Amino acid sequence: LSASTPSTFTAAALRELVGADGVLVGAEEMAPFLLDHRHLYRGRAQAVVRPRDVEAVSRVLRYCHEHRIGVVPQGGNTSYCGGATPDESGRQIVLALARLDRIRNVDADNFSLVAEAGCILARVQEAAAEADRFFPLSLGAEGTCQIGGNLATNAGGLNVVRYGMTRELVLGVEAVLADGSIYDGLKSLRKDNTGYDLKSLLIGSEGTLGIITAASLKLWPQVRAHATAFIALTDVAHVVALLELLRAHGGDRISSFELLPRVAVELTVRHIPGVTDPLDAAHPWYVLCELTAARADEPLADLMQGALEKAMERGWVADAALAANERQRAAFWRLRESVPEAQRMAGPSLKHDIAVPVASLPGFIVEAAALVAQLLPDGVLVCYGHAGDGSLHFNVNRIDGTGVTAFQEREPVLRRAIHDLVTRFHGSISAEHGIGQLKREELARYASPVGLVAMRAIKQALDPRGILNPGKVL
Ligand code: FAD
Ligand code: 2HG
Ligand code: ZN
């Protein structure tokens, strides 16, 4: 490159704005930022920019706005839909938020904390625990993903049945808008009806409306008691009735209700060191359910056992293991959280991140499984996930490593069939992972036309030059 090419010019200008160590341009140092987690997309970029504070983010945005340079925000780069990967033009920059990593404040009395966008989710959980509080967002990527990425995708995860999605855990947001202006919405209020709810708009916007630089998060009393059961269903048809029964016994103490098929147990036992089958015999479907409480003396095990005994009498449950200690509880969770990794090790998979009304889950699974059998008979259905929220990872794996190309060529046909079915069930084609670049066409096809017009108008109003995460979502 000569000194006058846009890349070198931009890199030099950006160094002025964020410091010399905040701008990467070498192919090797940029490489990890240019490849998405699933290795579906490899982009190019003029530079990777790593600001340390909100003022530096503001300066970068102002520069990019003026020069019409596309900005791709990136947190932990665990997106499942290519949301944090630049395009192949080489003209965009990646804005990596990792160095905005301070917990600015923990207010135990107000049950809130303020974390900068680059804080790793596990660090936010720890900061809450250090103040004897609980931050409930939890997902398999929590050791890598960042709270800014969680907000930007409105992440779901393992505790939604009790605490809700990320949007419900946020009290306020600080963000930098497309022109570099700083929106200071970092309030820590439970009530605030002063006009449009901008934080809710920024949450889930996948970096297309603003760069989230910090968030004020809700905390709960520390969890001091758990009852965790690995439950074998006689038939997936009983999953909804089991949830109802557990709710009748446990009330709102149910914090997780995860569905797993037999093949998920087989894949994790085969591929993930240390994972074992919690039960003696094989069963077609399982539920991993956890009750939690803030008081150590709550009789959670009794509540769980009472419900499971009734479920067995009714023929819904064939067997169950109740974790007797923290080690067993961790083993159940390790099995569940390793399913994506075991699937990856088994071979390529076609993923559908869908939701239907909870009561429709069994009906949906039966019909969707029939579609897989018809359209992709050599695929192995690995359908699992957050059944308590009606949210399923309806994934189809190629296990033996042969015929992979033919398998992948079938993807569009299967995707259309599954997403049409989801629509017939009044469901969602993106329950929790977002749209990114992977599902843009799907959004255009399945979203409400009126909703799409409104979304485009909002995008135009907040980012008239289209510099924020171009090519994502819309
Ligand atoms: P990235 O991947 O870096 O970015 C995600 C999107 O947000 C991109 O569009 C990016 O441009 C944008 N973005 C990132 N940071 C900012 C910011 N500060 N401001 C504005 N935009 C920004 N998701 C779930 O919902 N539930 C799960 O249970 C779940 N489990 C997972 C398990 C594994 C093993 C993996 C790898 C992923 C999982 N995910 C899950 C997907 C993923 O959405 C989450 O890991 C996480 O929310 C993404 O955070 P991140 O920091 O990695 O964001
Ligand atoms: C999970 O719930 C994640 O484990 C990943 O959302 C799902 O790999 C997947 O499809
Ligand atoms: Zn999930």
Side-chain angles (χ1 to χ4, degrees):
L1 293 174
S2 80
S4 59
T5 57
S7 276
T8 33
F9 179 77
T10 302
L14 291 169
R15 279 194 192 100
E16 291 284 309
L17 303 178
V18 300
D21 66 343
V23 180
L24 311 177
V25 290
E28 226 166 277
E29 53 186 5
M30 286 204 293
F33 298 87
L34 305 181
L35 180 65
D36 80 302
H37 176 79
R38 292 179 61 193
H39 296 197
L40 297 177
Y41 302 98
R42 191 187 295 275
R44 293 171 58 227
Q46 296 201 47
V48 173
V49 183
R50 302 184 302 154
R52 283 191 187 279
D53 52 38
V54 59
E55 288 77 20
V57 175
S58 165
R59 289 193 293 273
V60 171
L61 267 282
R62 200 172 309 129
Y63 177 85
C64 291
H65 191 251
E66 190 184 329
H67 295 273
R68 296 178 186 267
I69 296 169
V71 177
V72 181
Q74 190 174 103
N77 199 15
T78 65
S79 167
Y80 264 56
C81 47
T85 311
D87 68 14
E88 290 168 9
S89 68
R91 297 183 51 79
Q92 302 179 337
I93 64 158
V94 173
L95 186 70
L97 280 305
R99 299 211 291 190
L100 274 83
D101 61 355
R102 288 179 310 138
I103 301 286
R104 287 193 195 162
N105 152 273
V106 183
D107 187 344
D109 294 338
N110 192 51
F111 284 78
S112 64
L113 71 73
V114 175
E116 292 188 346
C119 290
I120 303 286
L121 173 55
R123 174 69 198 113
V124 176
Q125 296 165 344
E126 269 168 27
E130 283 158 14
D132 196 27
R133 297 288 179 262
F134 179 62
F135 182 61
L137 182 64
S138 173
L139 42 105
E142 64 198 23
T144 315
C145 63
Q146 298 172 9
I147 194 69
N150 301 142
L151 264 73
T153 55
N154 187 29
L158 304 164
N159 289 331
V160 174
V161 68
R162 179 160 182 181
Y163 298 96
M165 303 277 282
T166 297
R167 190 175 278 116
E168 290 162 74
L169 314 179
V170 178
L171 297 169
V173 157
E174 176 191 85
V176 176
L177 304 186
D179 63 358
S181 52
I182 299 174
Y183 167 63
D184 179 5
L186 267 190
K187 288 181 176 167
S188 295
L189 303 173
R190 257 79 183 170
K191 288 190 164 185
D192 181 19
N193 279 347
T194 48
Y196 298 152
D197 186 357
L198 296 179
K199 80 172 152 24
S200 285
L201 191 57
L202 289 162
I203 296 167
S205 67
E206 302 184 43
T208 63
L209 299 181
I211 309 296
I212 295 165
T213 48
S216 171
L217 303 169
K218 268 187 214 169
L219 304 180
W220 275 258
Q222 180 60 287
V223 169
R224 293 204 164 73
H226 299 92
T228 313
F230 197 82
I231 305 163
L233 295 174
T234 52
D235 192 308
V236 75
H238 304 310
V239 69
V240 178
L242 178 65
L243 177 59
E244 274 175 29
L245 184 65
L246 281 158
R247 277 204 159 118
H249 282 250
D252 67 356
R253 295 174 187 85
I254 300 179
S255 43
S256 305
F257 188 85
E258 298 284 313
L259 180 70
L260 296 160
R262 174 69 198 160
V263 67
V265 175
E266 287 168 0
L267 289 178
T268 47
V269 167
R270 188 177 316 149
H271 293 290
I272 309 294
V275 172
T276 53
D277 188 340
L279 299 173
D280 296 332
H283 301 274
W285 291 93
Y286 304 89
V287 166
L288 173 53
C289 178
E290 187 158 274
L291 308 182
T292 56
R295 284 181 57 136
D297 58 357
E298 283 226 24
L300 298 184
D302 296 347
L303 294 173
M304 180 76 87
Q305 251 159 358
L308 292 178
E309 275 162 23
K310 275 216 177 97
M312 281 186 184
E313 281 165 23
R314 293 176 189 179
W316 302 341
V317 163
D319 195 6
L322 192 59
N325 50 44
E326 188 51 38
R327 192 179 49 78
Q328 279 179 7
R329 172 175 173 256
F332 294 173
W333 277 113
R334 182 164 158 73
L335 189 164
R336 162 61 186 93
E337 291 186 32
S338 324
V339 180
E341 176 63 4
Q343 263 203 283
R344 196 188 58 74
M345 292 170 81
S349 62
L350 311 181
K351 291 181 185 285
H352 310 91
D353 164 35
I354 65 96
V356 292
V358 177
S360 306
L361 276 174
F364 175 83
I365 291 174
V366 169
E367 284 196 46
L371 285 175
V372 174
Q374 180 198 335
L375 297 173
L376 211 68
D378 51 354
V380 175
L381 178 58
V382 190
C383 161
Y384 65 98
H386 321 290
D389 324 317
S391 158
L392 289 177
H393 300 299
F394 194 85
N395 299 343
V396 186
N397 248 80
R398 180 76 207 179
I399 300 278
D400 61 13
T402 58
V404 168
T405 312
F407 178 70
Q408 280 163 341
E409 276 168 4
R410 302 288 289 161
E411 165 149 37
V413 179
L414 183 67
R415 186 175 53 215
R416 178 59 31 83
I418 298 293
H419 287 172
D420 283 354
L421 185 67
V422 165
T423 306
R424 190 150 65 67
F425 272 82
H426 307 290
S428 168
I429 58 149
S430 175
E432 53 172 15
H433 296 160
I435 301 297
Q437 49 187 309
L438 181 70
K439 290 193 184 163
R440 251 177 96 191
E441 286 172 20
E442 298 300 282
L443 183 73
R445 185 181 177 87
Y446 292 100
S448 136
V450 176
L452 277 173
V453 170
M455 286 189 221
R456 290 190 184 116
I458 291 167
K459 171 73 176 170
Q460 177 63 25
L462 287 183
D463 182 20
R465 297 189 182 175
I467 64 159
L468 289 176
N469 219 357
K472 313 291 163 49
V473 184
L474 291 174

